[in-house]
Amino acid sequence: MFLINCPFCGEREQSEFKAGGEAHIVRPKQPTELSDDQWAEYLFMRKNIKGIQFERWNHIHGCRKWFNMVRDTSNDEIKAVYKMGEKPPVK
Amino acid sequence: MKNKYSIFSLIKNAFSYHENWEKAWKDPEPKKEYDVVIIGGGGHGLATAYYLAKKHNMKNIAVVEKGWIGGGNTGRNTTIIRSNYLWDASAGLYDHALKIWEGLSQELNYNVMFSQRGVMNLAHNLQDVRDLKRRTHANRLNGIDAVYLNTEEVKKFCPIINTSPDIRYPVLGGTLQKRAGTARHDAVAWGYARGADEMGVDIIQNCEVKGIKRNGDAVEGIETTKGFIKTNKIGVVAAGHSSVIANMAGLKLPLESKPLQALVSEPVKPIIDTVVMSNAVHAYVSQSDKGELVIGAGTDDYVSYSQKGSHDIVEGTLNAILELYPIFSRMRMLRQWGGIVDICPDASPIISKTSIEGLYFNCGWGTGGFKATPGSGDLFAHTIANDEPHKLNAAFNLNRFVSGDLVDEHGAAAVAH
């Protein structure tokens, strides 16, 4: 259990949030021209990093808004929180 | 040749106060080169090495483990063994494992305490009832024992369950696989380690892999904390850390690693003589031979390698346990822990070659790998030795994420993943 500083609501318990997986995976601009390998890469393949990970979260039991987070997955320490559309902070 | 464990060796060693038992496995330093290196000294990895040596006549095999053998998820699971999976491919895979379990103690000359006490899966709503009935029929078509029980039969089989219609999620029925059960998890790792060691496998502990050396599209060896080890075949069985190893080889896998928690209570007298699992409320419970209730909780939904999960997950599981088993309301929990499980998008494992020659992965077992240990080792050994999958693990290849031929066991496999 850890606390998450929602950019809209402030600090709340992690159980109020839903993790949305790896962030900054861009949907292919021309889906019809994608090969099966490229689709697999987009849909299924994940970095699954042990260390600093950029990820999406949703404050599902709060404002229900999506936002981004930088977290160290080896110890669950949150490094930064930023809104959707904003540039990720530099490491 | 190792001394065989028997009543006679037990008596003989009693005379020397059990101080002169032969070591079950050696603790060697790595050689410069091996024919095959298995990364990960858990049950699956040790079983792979064992079957490579035993069934495929391979010599010169090493298992490298960053901690101590069986200290990862092998020692952290809830020891449940069953094969009542919905899809044909899964049924084949898990029942293959279950059949090996049935003779494993004899084969290894090591008591893995396999106990076919049955596994019962509960239904709490109409959709559960339909799903469980469908799965029972599918299991039977695949030659797997399964019966559907109504509420009275559930109560008869496990009298401490609260079958009152007034609870939040009443018990409407259940399925029972009688051949299913539990085994002693540590013993599985130790038994395979002893068996593999006897056939000349080097089990190298406290040896963390730091890098994988490639020559073009083939592997050349591994960098470890104990130096470089040359090899042309690497079998990775690193559970939650599979992606970390894959990353070293420049591969990406369809995995997410998440904490899965379990807990045990203080030991009490025998009260539950089977395993009861409930998908809808996510609570499962059995009792160890020491008398502790062994309780499995769910995964957290975020990626983490921290080996500790969230408190609210445990709380949710215990809420469900108390509603189903009011008799446990005053039990105290003794220990709680987390393990890191690698989950595939389709909740089925990967036992597969990769795009890199000589690099094989056995991963993605998610929350349910223990039950498959012997089968997984056997099939992975086959895949490595022949450079092609056995027909039982052909469906569990890495390419299924490209072709779309997934083995979707989410929810279909009797518990949520």
Side-chain angles (χ1 to χ4, degrees), chain B residues 353-376:
Chain B
K353 295 164 69 168
T354 64
S355 54
I356 300 166
E357 199 186 319
L359 185 64
Y360 306 85
F361 269 87
N362 183 354
C363 58
W365 290 96
T367 60
F370 175 74
K371 66 175 79 71
T373 306
S376 155

Side-chain angles (χ1 to χ4, degrees), chain B residues 3-21:
Chain B
N3 292 329
K4 201 167 156 28
Y5 292 156
S6 68
I7 183 73
F8 304 108
S9 66
L10 194 64
I11 294 167
K12 189 180 143 211
N13 279 280
F15 287 110
S16 54
Y17 302 99
H18 296 293
E19 284 171 357
N20 294 325
W21 283 99

Side-chain angles (χ1 to χ4, degrees), chain B residues 195-246:
Chain B
D197 183 85
E198 186 173 352
M199 289 182 289
V201 173
D202 279 356
I203 297 165
I204 304 158
Q205 300 180 76
N206 298 309
C207 180
E208 187 176 352
V209 174
K210 291 288 184 188
I212 290 177
K213 197 174 169 206
R214 278 173 61 175
N215 179 12
D217 278 338
V219 292
E220 276 194 327
I222 54 171
E223 293 289 351
T224 74
T225 47
K226 294 194 175 184
F228 181 73
I229 301 171
K230 193 166 177 245
T231 182
N232 292 322
K233 283 194 173 192
I234 301 171
V236 185
V237 204
H241 282 70
S242 297
S243 296
V244 177
I245 305 282

Side-chain angles (χ1 to χ4, degrees), chain B residues 349-413:
Chain B
I350 296 165
I351 312 170
S352 178
K353 295 164 69 168
T354 64
S355 54
I356 300 166
E357 199 186 319
L359 185 64
Y360 306 85
F361 269 87
N362 183 354
C363 58
W365 290 96
T367 60
F370 175 74
K371 66 175 79 71
T373 306
S376 155
D378 183 33
L379 299 172
F380 195 42
H382 181 101
T383 307
I384 293 173
N386 299 300
D387 196 37
E388 60 180 50
H390 187 278
K391 69 177 189 320
L392 286 175
N393 69 307
F396 298 96
N397 59 50
L398 200 46
N399 197 50
R400 73 178 188 265
F401 299 97
V402 176
S403 68
D405 194 9
L406 304 177
V407 188
D408 188 4
E409 285 288 355
H410 269 295

